[in-house]
PDB file of all heavy atoms in Angstrom:
ATOM      1  N   ALA A   4      62.919  94.468 146.198  1.00  0.00           N
ATOM      2  CA  ALA A   4      63.548  95.835 145.788  1.00  0.00           C
ATOM      3  C   ALA A   4      64.921  95.834 146.443  1.00  0.00           C
ATOM      4  O   ALA A   4      65.172  95.289 147.453  1.00  0.00           O
ATOM      5  CB  ALA A   4      62.679  97.036 146.452  1.00  0.00           C
ATOM      6  N   LYS A  32      53.766 113.438 144.672  1.00  0.00           N
ATOM      7  CA  LYS A  32      54.833 114.212 145.267  1.00  0.00           C
ATOM      8  C   LYS A  32      56.011 113.374 145.657  1.00  0.00           C
ATOM      9  O   LYS A  32      57.187 113.719 145.483  1.00  0.00           O
ATOM     10  CB  LYS A  32      54.286 115.167 146.415  1.00  0.00           C
ATOM     11  CG  LYS A  32      53.731 116.370 145.924  1.00  0.00           C
ATOM     12  CD  LYS A  32      53.540 117.385 147.087  1.00  0.00           C
ATOM     13  CE  LYS A  32      53.053 118.734 146.462  1.00  0.00           C
ATOM     14  NZ  LYS A  32      52.507 119.572 147.457  1.00  0.00           N
ATOM     15  N   PHE A  45      55.866 102.410 144.280  1.00  0.00           N
ATOM     16  CA  PHE A  45      55.289 101.222 144.897  1.00  0.00           C
ATOM     17  C   PHE A  45      55.905  99.915 144.546  1.00  0.00           C
ATOM     18  O   PHE A  45      55.513  98.819 145.037  1.00  0.00           O
ATOM     19  CB  PHE A  45      53.738 101.355 144.743  1.00  0.00           C
ATOM     20  CG  PHE A  45      53.203 102.478 145.463  1.00  0.00           C
ATOM     21  CD1 PHE A  45      52.587 103.546 144.776  1.00  0.00           C
ATOM     22  CD2 PHE A  45      53.082 102.522 146.776  1.00  0.00           C
ATOM     23  CE1 PHE A  45      52.147 104.648 145.473  1.00  0.00           C
ATOM     24  CE2 PHE A  45      52.598 103.573 147.574  1.00  0.00           C
ATOM     25  CZ  PHE A  45      52.148 104.646 146.870  1.00  0.00           C
ATOM     26  N   TYR A  47      58.846  99.725 145.599  1.00  0.00           N
ATOM     27  CA  TYR A  47      59.581  99.722 146.894  1.00  0.00           C
ATOM     28  C   TYR A  47      58.851  99.683 148.143  1.00  0.00           C
ATOM     29  O   TYR A  47      59.278  99.197 149.180  1.00  0.00           O
ATOM     30  CB  TYR A  47      60.597 100.889 146.920  1.00  0.00           C
ATOM     31  CG  TYR A  47      61.588 100.826 145.754  1.00  0.00           C
ATOM     32  CD1 TYR A  47      61.285 101.511 144.438  1.00  0.00           C
ATOM     33  CD2 TYR A  47      62.854 100.179 145.970  1.00  0.00           C
ATOM     34  CE1 TYR A  47      62.302 101.407 143.413  1.00  0.00           C
ATOM     35  CE2 TYR A  47      63.845 100.106 144.974  1.00  0.00           C
ATOM     36  CZ  TYR A  47      63.513 100.664 143.740  1.00  0.00           C
ATOM     37  OH  TYR A  47      64.448 100.699 142.691  1.00  0.00           O
ATOM     38  N   LYS A  65      69.005 108.001 161.737  1.00  0.00           N
ATOM     39  CA  LYS A  65      70.351 108.565 161.185  1.00  0.00           C
ATOM     40  C   LYS A  65      70.529 109.854 161.936  1.00  0.00           C
ATOM     41  O   LYS A  65      71.639 110.221 162.264  1.00  0.00           O
ATOM     42  CB  LYS A  65      70.045 108.922 159.694  1.00  0.00           C
ATOM     43  CG  LYS A  65      70.016 107.670 158.931  1.00  0.00           C
ATOM     44  CD  LYS A  65      71.428 107.132 158.792  1.00  0.00           C
ATOM     45  CE  LYS A  65      71.464 105.884 157.815  1.00  0.00           C
ATOM     46  NZ  LYS A  65      72.590 105.099 157.939  1.00  0.00           N
ATOM     47  N   PHE A  70      73.790 112.765 166.132  1.00  0.00           N
ATOM     48  CA  PHE A  70      73.858 113.358 167.562  1.00  0.00           C
ATOM     49  C   PHE A  70      74.910 112.476 168.335  1.00  0.00           C
ATOM     50  O   PHE A  70      75.740 113.131 169.012  1.00  0.00           O
ATOM     51  CB  PHE A  70      72.506 113.206 168.188  1.00  0.00           C
ATOM     52  CG  PHE A  70      72.356 113.797 169.525  1.00  0.00           C
ATOM     53  CD1 PHE A  70      71.925 115.167 169.554  1.00  0.00           C
ATOM     54  CD2 PHE A  70      72.720 113.201 170.673  1.00  0.00           C
ATOM     55  CE1 PHE A  70      71.694 115.748 170.836  1.00  0.00           C
ATOM     56  CE2 PHE A  70      72.499 113.760 172.001  1.00  0.00           C
ATOM     57  CZ  PHE A  70      72.029 115.106 171.991  1.00  0.00           C
ATOM     58  N   MET A  71      74.948 111.240 168.300  1.00  0.00           N
ATOM     59  CA  MET A  71      75.875 110.340 169.107  1.00  0.00           C
ATOM     60  C   MET A  71      77.247 110.568 168.596  1.00  0.00           C
ATOM     61  O   MET A  71      78.249 110.466 169.254  1.00  0.00           O
ATOM     62  CB  MET A  71      75.441 108.950 169.032  1.00  0.00           C
ATOM     63  CG  MET A  71      74.063 108.724 169.737  1.00  0.00           C
ATOM     64  SD  MET A  71      73.961 109.319 171.570  1.00  0.00           S
ATOM     65  CE  MET A  71      75.146 108.115 172.289  1.00  0.00           C
ATOM     66  N   LYS A  76      83.327 111.942 174.607  1.00  0.00           N
ATOM     67  CA  LYS A  76      83.914 110.760 175.001  1.00  0.00           C
ATOM     68  C   LYS A  76      84.693 110.720 176.254  1.00  0.00           C
ATOM     69  O   LYS A  76      85.256 109.792 176.870  1.00  0.00           O
ATOM     70  CB  LYS A  76      84.911 110.306 173.860  1.00  0.00           C
ATOM     71  CG  LYS A  76      84.334 110.275 172.503  1.00  0.00           C
ATOM     72  CD  LYS A  76      83.552 109.103 172.235  1.00  0.00           C
ATOM     73  CE  LYS A  76      83.123 109.034 170.741  1.00  0.00           C
ATOM     74  NZ  LYS A  76      82.002 109.815 170.330  1.00  0.00           N
ATOM     75  N   PRO A  89      72.680 121.765 171.333  1.00  0.00           N
ATOM     76  CA  PRO A  89      71.233 122.092 171.112  1.00  0.00           C
ATOM     77  C   PRO A  89      70.956 122.970 169.890  1.00  0.00           C
ATOM     78  O   PRO A  89      70.065 122.638 169.238  1.00  0.00           O
ATOM     79  CB  PRO A  89      70.853 122.931 172.463  1.00  0.00           C
ATOM     80  CG  PRO A  89      71.744 122.403 173.470  1.00  0.00           C
ATOM     81  CD  PRO A  89      73.173 122.085 172.648  1.00  0.00           C
ATOM     82  N   ASP A  94      69.258 123.418 164.181  1.00  0.00           N
ATOM     83  CA  ASP A  94      69.605 123.833 162.801  1.00  0.00           C
ATOM     84  C   ASP A  94      69.662 122.654 161.799  1.00  0.00           C
ATOM     85  O   ASP A  94      68.988 122.701 160.759  1.00  0.00           O
ATOM     86  CB  ASP A  94      70.933 124.508 162.746  1.00  0.00           C
ATOM     87  CG  ASP A  94      71.346 124.987 161.379  1.00  0.00           C
ATOM     88  OD1 ASP A  94      70.682 125.780 160.896  1.00  0.00           O
ATOM     89  OD2 ASP A  94      72.412 124.661 160.898  1.00  0.00           O
ATOM     90  N   TYR A 112      49.974 106.084 164.550  1.00  0.00           N
ATOM     91  CA  TYR A 112      51.293 105.711 164.459  1.00  0.00           C
ATOM     92  C   TYR A 112      51.893 105.681 165.824  1.00  0.00           C
ATOM     93  O   TYR A 112      53.097 105.415 165.926  1.00  0.00           O
ATOM     94  CB  TYR A 112      52.137 106.712 163.599  1.00  0.00           C
ATOM     95  CG  TYR A 112      51.544 106.812 162.182  1.00  0.00           C
ATOM     96  CD1 TYR A 112      50.925 107.989 161.807  1.00  0.00           C
ATOM     97  CD2 TYR A 112      51.643 105.762 161.308  1.00  0.00           C
ATOM     98  CE1 TYR A 112      50.454 108.135 160.544  1.00  0.00           C
ATOM     99  CE2 TYR A 112      51.105 105.904 159.949  1.00  0.00           C
ATOM    100  CZ  TYR A 112      50.527 107.068 159.531  1.00  0.00           C
ATOM    101  OH  TYR A 112      50.059 107.314 158.337  1.00  0.00           O
ATOM    102  N   TYR A 127      70.748 105.236 174.881  1.00  0.00           N
ATOM    103  CA  TYR A 127      71.397 106.084 175.773  1.00  0.00           C
ATOM    104  C   TYR A 127      71.823 105.349 177.058  1.00  0.00           C
ATOM    105  O   TYR A 127      72.786 105.740 177.667  1.00  0.00           O
ATOM    106  CB  TYR A 127      70.380 107.201 176.284  1.00  0.00           C
ATOM    107  CG  TYR A 127      70.065 108.168 175.044  1.00  0.00           C
ATOM    108  CD1 TYR A 127      68.858 108.743 174.894  1.00  0.00           C
ATOM    109  CD2 TYR A 127      71.003 108.430 174.091  1.00  0.00           C
ATOM    110  CE1 TYR A 127      68.549 109.543 173.802  1.00  0.00           C
ATOM    111  CE2 TYR A 127      70.765 109.244 173.010  1.00  0.00           C
ATOM    112  CZ  TYR A 127      69.520 109.854 172.880  1.00  0.00           C
ATOM    113  OH  TYR A 127      69.274 110.633 171.742  1.00  0.00           O
ATOM    114  N   GLN A 142      76.804 104.705 185.504  1.00  0.00           N
ATOM    115  CA  GLN A 142      75.821 104.987 184.508  1.00  0.00           C
ATOM    116  C   GLN A 142      74.580 105.270 184.930  1.00  0.00           C
ATOM    117  O   GLN A 142      73.708 105.986 184.332  1.00  0.00           O
ATOM    118  CB  GLN A 142      75.886 103.772 183.455  1.00  0.00           C
ATOM    119  CG  GLN A 142      75.254 102.454 184.062  1.00  0.00           C
ATOM    120  CD  GLN A 142      73.744 102.317 183.746  1.00  0.00           C
ATOM    121  OE1 GLN A 142      73.273 103.029 183.010  1.00  0.00           O
ATOM    122  NE2 GLN A 142      73.119 101.403 184.490  1.00  0.00           N
ATOM    123  N   VAL A 157      65.765 118.323 172.019  1.00  0.00           N
ATOM    124  CA  VAL A 157      64.701 118.000 171.190  1.00  0.00           C
ATOM    125  C   VAL A 157      63.619 119.079 171.350  1.00  0.00           C
ATOM    126  O   VAL A 157      63.088 119.700 170.336  1.00  0.00           O
ATOM    127  CB  VAL A 157      64.129 116.714 171.457  1.00  0.00           C
ATOM    128  CG1 VAL A 157      62.837 116.461 170.606  1.00  0.00           C
ATOM    129  CG2 VAL A 157      65.037 115.547 171.079  1.00  0.00           C
ATOM    130  N   TYR A 159      64.150 122.116 172.213  1.00  0.00           N
ATOM    131  CA  TYR A 159      64.685 123.392 171.529  1.00  0.00           C
ATOM    132  C   TYR A 159      64.498 123.285 169.943  1.00  0.00           C
ATOM    133  O   TYR A 159      64.240 124.218 169.399  1.00  0.00           O
ATOM    134  CB  TYR A 159      66.103 123.615 171.980  1.00  0.00           C
ATOM    135  CG  TYR A 159      66.624 124.904 171.423  1.00  0.00           C
ATOM    136  CD1 TYR A 159      66.180 126.240 171.866  1.00  0.00           C
ATOM    137  CD2 TYR A 159      67.538 124.978 170.257  1.00  0.00           C
ATOM    138  CE1 TYR A 159      66.629 127.391 171.173  1.00  0.00           C
ATOM    139  CE2 TYR A 159      67.845 126.152 169.632  1.00  0.00           C
ATOM    140  CZ  TYR A 159      67.410 127.363 170.286  1.00  0.00           C
ATOM    141  OH  TYR A 159      67.803 128.384 169.722  1.00  0.00           O
ATOM    142  N   ALA A 183      81.945 115.134 189.807  1.00  0.00           N
ATOM    143  CA  ALA A 183      83.406 114.885 189.786  1.00  0.00           C
ATOM    144  C   ALA A 183      83.998 114.749 191.176  1.00  0.00           C
ATOM    145  O   ALA A 183      84.812 113.880 191.351  1.00  0.00           O
ATOM    146  CB  ALA A 183      84.080 116.136 189.013  1.00  0.00           C
TER     147      ALA A 183
END
Side-chain angles (χ1 to χ4, degrees):
K32 273 194 179 166
F45 291 109
Y47 295 92
K65 292 290 186 193
F70 188 91
M71 294 305 291
K76 309 285 187 275
D94 182 57
Y112 304 109
Y127 294 146
Q142 71 88 15
V157 170
Y159 184 75

